[in-house]
Amino acid sequence: MADLQDEPHSVGIGAEDLPAPTVVAGALDRAAVLLSVHPVADGCNTLVWTLRQSPYHDIDTPDIGVDTDIPRLRAGGVGAQFWSLLTPREASESDQVVSDTLEQIDVALTLMRRYPDGLRLALTADDMVDARNRGRIASFLGPVPGRTLTDSLGALRAFHALGVRILAPAGAPWAQEGLTAFGHEVVKEVNRLAMLLDLTGCPPVAACQLAGASKSPVIISNTAAAALNPHPGNVTDEVLLALRAANGLAMITFDAARTGDSLHAVADHLDHVRAVAGPECVGLGAAFGTEPRNPRPAGLTDPSGYPLLIAELMERGWPESDLSLLTWGNAQRVLRDAEFTSRAAQHHRRT
């Protein structure tokens, strides 16, 4: 690809505790080559919350106390990362939700400043490419919780001004079983600002309605196929078909409770989403960024395992064109489509 760096970073496994690959060495070598040209754009990493609780972690060096650091991101061929700004705890007051979110943003921006040689704040699809060309991992901020928005869009515009590019409606009173009038206003403003809606955790009815209401693609930043595992956090085929109709993106997690405890199980979920939603609507959102508590599928315990997964998909017959969409192309497309929708909306306002 002409818009990627001429001398890409080398890609390796990196994690000493990974099991021996079950894929043939040739596939693993081909996976490394593919990732050097089409790096992973990972849709979900919760490291910001982890660092807020345990700020002593240094992600510039391998750190056994957390599953994400810059060396392992590079070893896995990660070229872009969406850093989740959600918190696992539920604040009871809306003011507290806003305060928690602002603190998350502050920690994330501090992370970019602390590691300028590894991470680069990205606001647009062009920034995503530019960061990679400069040997940095493009870093997008979001999602932030939709609960921060009550009866005013001012908070949304303020988050956008701070660099946030993704909003998660799950749990917001305006997007429960269906969109309220204010919810429709939120969707319009998200489209105007070139932000993305992350439907992770939304009930199927609300997810389908949001996907239909948005003029730009929506994403589900970390999920798996409910048809294979009826976990409440997994996406139904109904929602996958709505994503397909909306040119959206379902990004598959590496959470063993949702996918199963093996790399092969994760590949099964990717196969299913690709079959139902199409190759243009499937991506990767591992949900790394935790301290070593969450069970992970064998072989995918940290970001350095990505080449193993790509090699497995090659062995299953995925063509390079579909793999390049899975890793990089689909994430870049939804960002560019959101920007196109934003320009069209702003032009319409002026005329």
Side-chain angles (χ1 to χ4, degrees), residues 211-291:
S214 178
K215 294 186 181 300
S216 62
V218 296
I219 68 170
I220 303 178
S221 67
N222 62 105
T223 189
L228 302 186
N229 179 357
H231 186 283
N234 288 348
V235 66
T236 64
D237 284 0
E238 175 192 14
V239 176
L240 287 176
L241 291 172
L243 282 179
R244 183 171 190 154
N247 295 316
L249 182 57
M251 310 178 90
I252 302 305
T253 185
F254 297 171
D255 180 346
R258 297 163 72 178
T259 59
D261 60 3
S262 70
L263 178 150
H264 302 288
V266 174
D268 288 343
H269 284 268
L270 286 164
D271 279 341
H272 182 84
V273 173
R274 174 171 167 256
V276 175
E280 296 83 7
C281 297
V282 59
L284 299 164
F288 289 128
T290 64
E291 294 175 313

Side-chain angles (χ1 to χ4, degrees), residues 7-184:
E7 298 181 0
H9 295 294
S10 61
V11 178
I13 303 305
E16 298 178 354
D17 60 344
L18 290 183
T22 57
V23 294
V24 298
L28 197 58
D29 291 340
R30 286 186 289 124
V33 171
L34 183 139
L35 287 170
S36 70
V37 180
H38 308 288
V40 171
D42 185 294
C44 180
N45 190 297
T46 62
L47 182 66
V48 173
W49 171 258
T50 299
L51 293 181
R52 186 174 159 191
Q53 305 306 301
S54 306
Y56 55 83
H57 290 301
D58 178 7
I59 68 164
D60 219 9
T61 58
D63 186 343
I64 61 172
V66 67
D67 64 24
T68 298
D69 51 52
I70 292 171
R72 281 181 284 186
L73 289 168
R74 291 197 186 284
V78 176
Q81 182 66 69
F82 293 28
W83 301 102
S84 174
L85 303 176
L86 304 178
T87 63
R89 67 187 182 203
E90 287 291 333
S92 58
E93 300 294 335
S94 59
D95 288 350
Q96 185 62 49
V97 178
V98 173
S99 177
D100 282 347
T101 302
L102 289 173
E103 189 164 346
Q104 290 282 93
I105 294 170
D106 181 63
V107 172
L109 293 174
T110 299
L111 188 69
M112 307 302 127
R113 291 192 295 269
R114 185 176 179 186
Y115 300 102
D117 294 333
L119 307 176
R120 186 180 178 90
L121 180 65
L123 303 177
T124 66
D126 283 346
D127 289 347
M128 179 175 165
V129 174
D130 184 62
R132 181 60 176 174
N133 290 347
R134 295 171 183 269
R136 309 295 194 271
I137 297 166
S139 297
F140 289 92
L141 302 188
V144 294
R147 291 180 60 214
T148 56
L149 314 180
T150 51
D151 58 354
S152 170
L153 298 175
L156 179 63
R157 289 189 283 267
F159 291 146
H160 179 269
L162 290 171
V164 174
R165 291 297 178 265
I166 311 168
L167 179 75
W174 46 267
Q176 295 289 345
E177 291 301 321
L179 277 179
T180 65
F182 177 68
H184 282 282

